[in-house]
Amino acid sequence: MSKQTYVGKNIPKLDAREKATGQAIYAADLQLPGMLYGKIVRCWDHAHARVLKLDLAEAARVPGVIKVLGPQDVTRKTYNTGVLDLMVPGEIGQLLGDVEDQHIFTEHVRHQGDAICGIIAESEEIAELAAEKVKVLYEPLPVYLSAEESAKPDAFQFDERKPGNRAFQLPEAMFPDNSYGWGDVDVEMAKADLIVEETFYVPKVKQCQMEAHAYVAHYDQTGRLNCWTSTQMPKCVQPKLARLFELSISRVNLVSTTIGGGFGARLGMVFEPETCAMAMAVPGRPVKVQSSREEDWVASESRHPGKYKIKLGVKKDGTPVALDAHFTSNAGAYFTHASGTAFTTGSWLSGMYKIGALRYKGDTYYTNQAPSGAFRGYGNPQTNFALEQIVDQVCKKLKIDPVEWRKKWHKGEGDDGWCIGVPYSSCALDECLDRGAEAIGWKEKRAKYANQSGTKRRGIGVGVMNHTSGAMPMLLEHTTCTIKMNEDMSVVITLSCSDLGQGSHTVLKQIAADSLGISMDEIHILVNMDAAGFDIGSHASRTTYVGGGAVLKACEDVKRQLIERAAIRLEIPEGELKIKDQQVLSRKNPEKRLSVKEICHTGVYNFTDPQTGKTNGVPGQIQGYASHFPSHNSPPFGACFAEVEVDTETGEVQVLELVIAHDIGRAINPMAVEGQLEGGAHQALGMTLTEETCYDEAGLCRNNSFTDYKLFGPVDMPKITCILVEQPDPIAPLGMKSVGEAGPVNPVGATANAISHALGIMFTAAPITPEKILRAING
Amino acid sequence: MSSRILPQFALLTPQSISEAVDMLAQYQGQVSVLAGGTDLLVWNYIRKVKPTYVLRLSALDDLDYMNYIPGEGLRIGARAKVAQLLEQPEVAGKFPALYESALTFATPQIRNMATVMGNVLRASPAGDCSCAILALGGQVVLQGPDGQRLVDIDDFWISYGVTARKNDELAVELRIPEPTSITRSAFYRLTRVHEDLAKLNVAVRFEMCQNGCRSARISMGCVGPTPLRLKQTEKLLEGVPVTDELLQQVAAAARKEIAPIADQRSTEEYRRQVSGVILTRVIERAAGTHRIAI
Ligand SMILES: Cc1cc2nc3c(=O)[nH]c(=O)nc-3n(C[C@H](O)[C@H](O)[C@H](O)COP(=O)(O)OP(=O)(O)OC[C@H]3O[C@@H](n4cnc5c(N)ncnc54)[C@H](O)[C@@H]3O)c2cc1C
């Protein structure tokens, strides 16, 4: 049963055909009998205001409007769309200062697009027409768009629990001096021969998942709240909705619909609270709420922008003696992930290099931008932009080859990991650096591009990164899985891990098929929140690693039961039996065997012979189960190399090539791994070169759609070579490590470094646009 | 802001050009002509225009043509698509600026829908075909109740979004004059990513002779309310050899002649700075003396 037929193979994503042909059913496609349409009425004209008067009378009179709901007509309970409350113990959450500060409909607009009321109508058109008739009297409040502005002593205070508008800083009680790291940075820094210090700016970038947020909710006659959503975290959203609407978890039926991309945009709740509140107001009738791209943009979360101060001290020979860093991020209007991102941004920093002493401070301030939250990489791309560039500055000043420096100073197996106190279980970064450098022609090009004078100048840069596979031990890591053996030996796997499009269900099936020794075609994955047990969702690069671990354990449980039954039937001790080619057989006498199919079949169709009173097998349908808590986070490393050409007269950057070498441990599906690296590179290039959500002085978003928020298109993408370095991790199931979140990380540093190699100018603010480049060149 | 509410209008489908003109005359000023719809049917646009009637050209297949007539030039029917510029055999060779404007235009899907005429009639300062046509010179043929009249492209755009077309006129054809054997032209645009509207576009046309160029035409987009002819700058090019010094003067003159603004796509400073750079490169490419590949 353990021959590897699928693991390690390029298996096309099982849902690819369905999606490419338009057959996949998204929440927006759902049509239910008697369905109504909800419209979340948002404040579009102010980024910060108090609602003095809300007049819904005229809207209510629009024919076809069923109900209008103001802030008082729905639960007044507050919530936090994030899920940290479920992932850390309550005491820790309290220490971190996590707060629930969001309302379904608010009377205090904290960002453009904040929801002020809701309309339920017979059609979307009617709901929209009625929304235009809502009359609101606003009292404008001062607008703050950066941490510097909102931190000013006389600034308007967003939340009395958060003086100075500081949503978060590393709490003194857990992190003395509000910082973490090791050694005495001040003492060590004083010993440095060279100190390089810079303040970087990282932009507010959006996940840009293809499917704009859409939901259906139905508070049915049995008193169950049904919610169709493409959340990345069904098993977290379910209890959060239960708590918000004061229902037991079994009364919340969360239905996972096809997910049109996640990238963190569907981490925790998004517009489920508003949709469910509307459904609760019209029991018995389903309500659909769809958001336009613009709404999705201004009201759902993005990556945390902010200022990243970093100071690196080294000896003459490059020995890094001290690193001092401070990331001040812009939380936007609500708390959401204020603590999580501020904390982890430093983890990737402390997890990278063997530095004598390190101090990281992370804090977050409220502003009137749309809330920041989770985005693939969770703080890591921000760190990469700052750290990888500062390292290259040091290398430049000391004339050290950046690849050599990284090889010498990166952390590896046995070193303290990104989570201080948890050592790295393995590290293949040297091989990544060597093979990547070889593939792009690092040495030759680095030398060749060192002295250029023409209009178009080329540069080559490197960026490394560390990440994690699941967030153990920082967060709860738990996935359950049930494997039911049908009587014909086909299999149903029940779990609640989402497939965001990364192909996780394909990979989980590959793992199960090999473990059980059956065809992938005979396996069905059932994602059903009533049937499935707990799981913390598809995030933190965990689904293959932790979900796969759960599937493997449940398969083991199935196999244990098969052997147990065969032992009874064959009258052979369990220890003597093994499973091979769908047979349970004796190691000593392979003639003694029973087929797996027969065991499964007779377990279900278990007949008693009336004459003898004997049964034809061991009764009971076989179901394997696992409630899996991984023991580690088998961190992946990676090295990315970028080659660019910069036009010194126009400032335009063309990315010519990326080579991405990734420490995958073991690639379950190499094609899917490459897909993750390439897709991640796409997001990284956008953050580095073109993408940023911009606001005008009044805090109104200037580019809330793809017209003016520019992602790289197919023609803009460079040639990408992916190198999968497979050195199995000793702890990981099957030796595998993660890739999803790693994707958008180190192409950021590599590309920025390539630009600075081409021009001899380092750019501290992303995105590095032609406008910024030309200004820098022209002094 | 997108919306679920479809705009309300009556759809007119004339069966002939004269019927179309009759309808335009009947509903003066309340009609929007629908060609490929890649501008008109974009939410922001149609909700601003709020036409009572939309007159579609879908029955007028006799306007699909793109003909090259030796000795006369290129005739582009009102329904000819941008994609046809890439397919019509003579365009690349004889009207390189126009060809190049189509080459980088949007995406294949948009090029298959968008008409060249729609680009001109939209009167946007960012229109790529418009920029090329302004440099190549030409005329817009307008058909009204009293027959046809020809408006020179130099006089066609009045201000942002406004043209010389009268409410009761249908634009039926674009005419671009026959180049001589020494005519050269080129086009280039700068964008944020490949699929985007221009932050700056430039086209030139001139006659190459031994001691320089004659009758130069320079057009630049996104540096004023409509595509601009840079007439002062053109003068510098006339009859003198194209040298580095001349190109520097040309670049400096162009920077003075334009009036860019800052918007989502770029800054005023940047546009001014690169206008000269791109112009000189386009001139060099048209002249066949370029050193920098663009
Ligand atoms: C995704 C996208 C990308 C784009 N990229 C580019 C680009 O790269 N470069 C660029 O220049 N443009 C671009 N555009 C804009 C647009 O595609 C062009 O302007 C196109 O040429 C318009 O042609 P159309 O046939 O679609 O015009 P329509 O939208 O049908 O019409 C445009 C305007 O012209 C009027 N009109 C059209 N035909 C006539 C006629 N015969 N008589 C009178 N009035 C008429 C219409 O009433 C309307 O006001 C893009 C648009 C989109 C949606």
Side-chain angles (χ1 to χ4, degrees):
Chain A
M1 257 190 168
S2 57
K3 221 172 74 210
Q4 305 266 287
T5 312
Y6 296 109
V7 168
K9 301 273 160 58
N10 287 330
I11 310 282
K13 282 199 273 194
L14 298 171
D15 57 356
R17 174 177 291 271
E18 221 189 357
K19 283 182 173 161
T21 56
Q23 299 292 302
I25 295 172
Y26 296 87
D29 297 321
L30 291 174
Q31 288 299 335
L32 299 177
M35 192 151 92
L36 297 172
Y37 298 83
K39 173 94 192 155
I40 302 171
V41 182
R42 302 183 181 282
C43 171
W44 286 98
D45 300 334
H46 300 273
H48 199 192
R50 215 179 291 286
V51 176
L52 295 182
K53 207 171 147 226
L54 181 68
D55 181 356
L56 298 173
E58 204 180 320
R61 279 198 297 273
V62 172
V65 168
I66 304 291
K67 239 180 189 161
V68 291
L69 302 170
Q72 310 304 331
D73 304 316
V74 293
T75 177
R76 293 299 290 152
K77 280 185 83 162
T78 50
Y79 57 93
N80 178 331
T81 46
V83 286
L84 207 62
D85 52 336
L86 302 176
M87 301 211 186
V88 298
E91 315 86 74
I92 304 272
Q94 239 167 22
L95 274 178
L96 292 174
D98 289 349
V99 292
E100 300 194 316
D101 55 3
Q102 288 161 281
H103 290 94
I104 290 175
F105 300 127
T106 188
E107 286 160 325
H108 176 188
V109 170
R110 283 162 68 158
H111 65 94
Q112 184 193 29
D114 224 350
I116 51 171
C117 62
I119 288 170
I120 306 166
E122 296 285 357
S123 74
E124 277 193 288
E125 290 84 349
I126 295 172
E128 190 182 319
L129 270 176
E132 283 162 19
K133 306 255 187 277
V134 170
K135 291 203 190 100
V136 195
L137 183 64
Y138 290 108
E139 175 199 356
L141 297 171
V143 172
Y144 308 108
L145 295 172
S146 68
E148 289 79 24
E149 294 166 41
S150 70
K152 284 194 181 135
D154 57 345
F156 178 96
Q157 298 294 297
F158 282 64
D159 188 322
E160 60 192 18
R161 296 166 291 186
K162 301 288 179 185
N165 289 331
R166 186 167 57 208
F168 174 79
Q169 74 170 335
L170 291 169
E172 184 70 33
M174 285 167 90
F175 308 100
D177 186 31
N178 307 108
S179 67
Y180 64 76
W182 57 83
D184 189 325
V185 166
D186 299 324
V187 169
E188 298 305 318
M189 194 69 84
K191 298 179 190 161
D193 297 322
L194 168 72
I195 294 174
V196 185
E197 191 174 359
E198 235 9 289
T199 300
F200 293 91
Y201 171 79
V202 283
K204 187 171 178 75
V205 284
K206 195 82 187 98
Q207 298 89 343
C208 300
Q209 81 290 350
M210 281 227 248
E211 179 204 5
H213 298 300
Y215 312 87
V216 176
H218 180 200
Y219 187 49
D220 70 25
Q221 300 291 349
T222 70
R224 281 191 109 203
L225 175 62
N226 305 273
C227 179
W228 286 259
T229 160
S230 55
T231 176
Q232 294 175 234
M233 294 189 158
K235 275 289 167 186
C236 297
V237 171
Q238 188 185 29
K240 290 205 70 136
L241 289 175
R243 199 192 319 154
L244 181 59
F245 294 104
E246 297 174 78
L247 298 167
S248 62
I249 291 176
S250 62
R251 277 182 63 194
V252 177
N253 176 30
L254 202 110
V255 188
S256 281
T257 52
T258 309
I259 302 175
F263 314 116
R266 308 183 199 284
L267 205 136
M269 301 192 289
V270 188
F271 308 142
E272 286 95 343
E274 293 90 333
T275 309
C276 289
M278 290 195 215
M280 300 284 279
V282 286
R285 297 198 68 177
V287 179
K288 185 195 272 189
V289 173
Q290 290 195 70
S291 48
S292 64
R293 179 60 62 180
E294 295 94 323
E295 277 183 273
D296 185 304
W297 216 289
V298 300
S300 73
E301 297 163 5
S302 68
R303 201 183 288 297
H304 282 78
K307 285 211 164 132
Y308 210 128
K309 261 174 130 165
I310 191 163
K311 186 169 165 184
L312 177 60
V314 295
K315 289 290 201 192
K316 277 199 194 83
D317 65 356
T319 304
V321 293
L323 178 73
D324 202 0
H326 188 161
F327 181 45
T328 300
S329 63
N330 181 332
Y334 292 104
F335 190 86
T336 70
H337 291 253
S339 58
T341 329
F343 178 87
T344 38
T345 302
S347 303
W348 319 122
L349 181 89
S350 64
M352 200 62 243
Y353 297 115
K354 291 184 277 204
I355 292 166
L358 181 140
R359 175 167 58 203
Y360 169 78
K361 289 193 174 194
D363 44 29
T364 311
Y365 287 80
Y366 288 120
T367 67
N368 297 111
Q369 294 188 355
S372 306
F375 187 170
R376 190 176 183 188
Y378 211 74
N380 209 344
Q382 290 98 314
T383 285
N384 209 263
F385 187 70
L387 178 63
E388 291 305 274
Q389 289 206 82
I390 207 84
V391 164
D392 263 35
Q393 284 305 301
V394 162
C395 292
K396 183 177 166 186
K397 293 207 156 91
L398 296 177
K399 301 197 168 51
I400 298 175
D401 180 276
V403 171
E404 292 309 319
W405 192 93
R406 287 173 171 85
K407 277 177 73 175
K408 189 158 180 192
W409 296 109
H410 76 76
K411 285 187 173 180
E413 189 184 326
D415 290 325
D416 220 352
W418 62 261
C419 186
I420 294 169
V422 182
Y424 283 136
S425 52
S426 63
C427 171
L429 184 51
D430 284 338
E431 190 180 331
C432 292
L433 279 162
D434 287 340
R435 289 175 64 187
E438 171 80 31
I440 202 154
W442 170 262
K443 284 229 162 72
E444 310 81 77
K445 287 179 179 163
R446 192 78 189 171
K448 191 170 148 201
Y449 302 155
N451 296 302
Q452 299 169 83
S453 52
T455 302
K456 296 210 176 181
R457 294 188 203 163
R458 291 198 173 184
I460 182 165
V462 63
V464 296
M465 65 103 217
N466 67 94
H467 205 72
T468 192
S469 309
M472 183 272 166
M474 201 176 77
L475 301 181
L476 172 70
E477 268 302 347
H478 183 196
T479 294
T480 58
C481 172
T482 306
I483 297 189
K484 180 182 71 179
M485 301 300 292
N486 288 323
E487 53 270 39
D488 62 353
M489 206 179 65
S490 64
V491 169
V492 178
I493 302 178
T494 304
L495 39 67
S496 41
C497 299
S498 311
D499 190 330
L500 309 181
Q502 82 275 51
S504 60
H505 287 177
T506 306
V507 167
L508 295 179
K509 266 195 196 179
Q510 286 176 260
I511 292 173
D514 274 359
S515 176
L516 296 173
I518 62 167
S519 159
M520 277 178 78
D521 298 338
E522 306 305 324
I523 301 178
H524 174 67
I525 291 191
L526 173 71
V527 176
N528 177 303
M529 293 316 120
D530 282 340
F534 191 73
D535 169 64
I536 63 164
S538 206
H539 72 116
S541 252
R542 65 179 298 277
T543 305
T544 303
Y545 184 80
V546 185
V551 166
L552 274 175
K553 272 191 188 160
C555 289
E556 289 306 321
D557 192 29
V558 166
K559 290 190 276 187
R560 182 190 56 74
Q561 295 176 45
L562 288 168
I563 286 184
E564 193 177 270
R565 290 178 187 204
I568 297 171
R569 302 260 310 271
L570 297 168
E571 298 180 332
I572 295 175
E574 284 177 25
E576 198 187 310
L577 291 170
K578 64 171 182 179
I579 302 177
K580 194 176 170 237
D581 298 335
Q582 306 184 351
Q583 305 279 326
V584 187
L585 45 94
S586 159
R587 288 174 210 269
K588 286 188 189 150
N589 179 4
E591 294 305 303
K592 291 193 170 177
R593 56 171 64 199
L594 269 178
S595 78
V596 170
K597 195 176 204 166
E598 204 266 356
I599 300 173
C600 292
H601 193 269
T602 52
V604 173
Y605 293 97
N606 194 263
F607 299 110
T608 308
D609 185 330
Q611 245 86 55
T612 63
K614 284 191 174 166
T615 60
N616 60 338
V618 181
Q621 182 161 13
I622 293 181
Q623 293 214 48
Y625 176 70
S627 186
H628 174 57
F629 296 84
S631 59
H632 204 270
N633 57 43
S634 306
F637 290 81
C640 176
F641 292 82
E643 184 177 352
V644 301
E645 183 173 87
V646 187
D647 187 322
T648 53
E649 289 175 356
T650 63
E652 293 201 299
V653 176
Q654 198 190 345
V655 185
L656 303 170
E657 185 177 2
L658 291 180
V659 171
I660 310 170
H662 187 72
D663 168 20
I664 190 69
R666 174 100 177 276
I668 308 297
N669 187 336
M671 191 161 74
V673 175
E674 287 175 14
Q676 289 300 298
L677 292 173
E678 289 170 3
H682 173 258
Q683 291 174 320
L685 292 175
M687 165 170 163
T688 314
L689 299 172
T690 60
E691 294 180 37
E692 179 171 22
T693 300
C694 301
Y695 294 85
D696 66 14
E697 276 170 19
L700 307 183
C701 183
R702 297 177 64 204
N703 52 349
N704 59 15
S705 76
F706 296 123
T707 306
D708 281 313
Y709 182 96
K710 283 309 190 189
L711 303 168
F712 261 39
V715 185
D716 304 298
M717 284 299 284
K719 172 186 164 197
I720 300 181
T721 306
C722 295
I723 299 171
L724 309 188
V725 175
E726 294 190 89
Q727 295 182 14
D729 180 82
I731 298 177
L734 304 175
M736 63 192 174
K737 302 187 185 187
S738 77
V739 61
E741 288 221 323
V745 179
N746 50 340
V748 169
T751 307
N753 281 336
I755 294 172
S756 103
H757 184 230
L759 296 176
I761 304 170
M762 178 174 68
F763 290 86
T764 54
I768 306 171
T769 58
E771 284 77 3
K772 289 180 191 165
I773 291 177
L774 205 59
R775 202 177 305 141
I777 290 175
N778 294 337
Chain B
M1 178 65 178
S2 48
S3 161
R4 295 279 159 194
I5 302 172
L6 291 175
Q8 302 289 312
F9 53 77
L11 188 62
L12 310 174
T13 315
Q15 301 299 312
S16 66
I17 294 174
S18 58
E19 192 186 350
V21 172
D22 286 348
M23 287 170 165
L24 288 173
Q26 188 180 349
Y27 305 116
Q28 289 265 356
Q30 301 169 48
V31 195
S32 280
V33 176
L34 174 68
T38 62
D39 275 322
L40 183 65
L41 298 187
V42 171
W43 276 118
N44 290 339
Y45 191 69
I46 194 155
R47 291 175 100 212
K48 206 161 58 200
V49 179
K50 284 203 189 114
T52 314
Y53 300 93
V54 167
L55 182 147
R56 61 172 166 173
L57 306 180
S58 52
L60 309 182
D61 4 350
D62 44 343
L63 293 175
D64 280 345
Y65 61 88
M66 184 174 291
N67 297 330
Y68 168 69
I69 304 170
E72 292 194 21
L74 194 64
R75 303 280 163 94
I76 302 174
R79 289 203 342 168
K81 306 291 189 187
V82 173
Q84 282 169 257
L85 291 171
L86 302 176
E87 290 154 11
Q88 215 286 342
E90 279 88 6
V91 175
K94 298 204 178 284
F95 309 93
L98 191 54
Y99 180 80
E100 286 157 9
S101 76
L103 209 52
T104 49
F105 193 107
T107 58
Q109 295 94 322
I110 297 287
R111 289 200 292 269
N112 285 338
M113 288 303 290
T115 61
V116 185
M117 185 67 89
N119 199 261
V120 172
L121 269 290
R122 170 68 180 81
S124 153
D128 291 327
C129 297
S130 300
C131 176
I133 292 169
L134 181 58
L136 293 172
Q139 292 154 326
V140 184
V141 182
L142 299 168
Q143 182 144 341
D146 308 324
Q148 288 195 346
R149 70 179 177 118
L150 271 58
V151 180
D152 213 87
I153 194 70
D154 287 274
D155 305 322
F156 191 68
W157 296 299
I158 310 290
S159 61
Y160 177 82
V162 181
T163 71
R165 181 186 79 94
K166 295 197 193 110
N167 285 335
D168 56 4
E169 288 174 323
L170 182 70
V172 289
E173 185 179 276
L174 287 164
R175 292 188 183 169
I176 299 169
E178 170 79 339
T180 68
S181 62
I182 55 167
T183 304
R184 303 281 180 270
S185 76
F187 167 91
Y188 191 72
R189 68 173 196 163
L190 286 176
T191 52
R192 292 169 294 186
V193 292
H194 186 86
E195 190 275 292
D196 193 10
L197 293 175
K199 50 170 108 161
L200 187 97
N201 54 18
V202 178
V204 299
R205 195 214 73 178
F206 48 77
E207 325 277 288
M208 262 319 261
C209 13
Q210 260 169 351
N211 51 354
C213 35
R214 267 203 327 256
S215 49
R217 290 175 66 98
I218 299 173
S219 84
M220 204 175 276
C222 310
V223 291
T226 64
L228 291 187
R229 272 277 303 275
L230 306 191
K231 293 190 180 165
Q232 301 300 321
T233 310
E234 287 167 6
K235 279 192 204 138
L236 293 173
L237 274 175
E238 303 274 338
V240 284
V242 181
T243 59
D244 284 353
E245 298 75 64
L246 176 72
L247 288 176
Q248 273 178 20
Q249 287 170 27
V250 165
R255 289 187 182 109
K256 285 208 195 95
E257 206 172 347
I258 58 177
I261 55 162
D263 62 13
Q264 292 295 48
R265 298 201 288 279
S266 191
T267 60
E268 189 214 315
E269 174 200 359
Y270 181 82
R271 285 184 162 119
R272 212 178 275 285
Q273 188 67 36
V274 297
S275 60
V277 174
I278 297 302
L279 175 58
T280 55
R281 290 185 188 181
V282 171
I283 293 171
E284 286 184 319
R285 192 173 64 196
T289 59
H290 61 289
R291 288 149 297 174
I292 293 157
I294 57 168

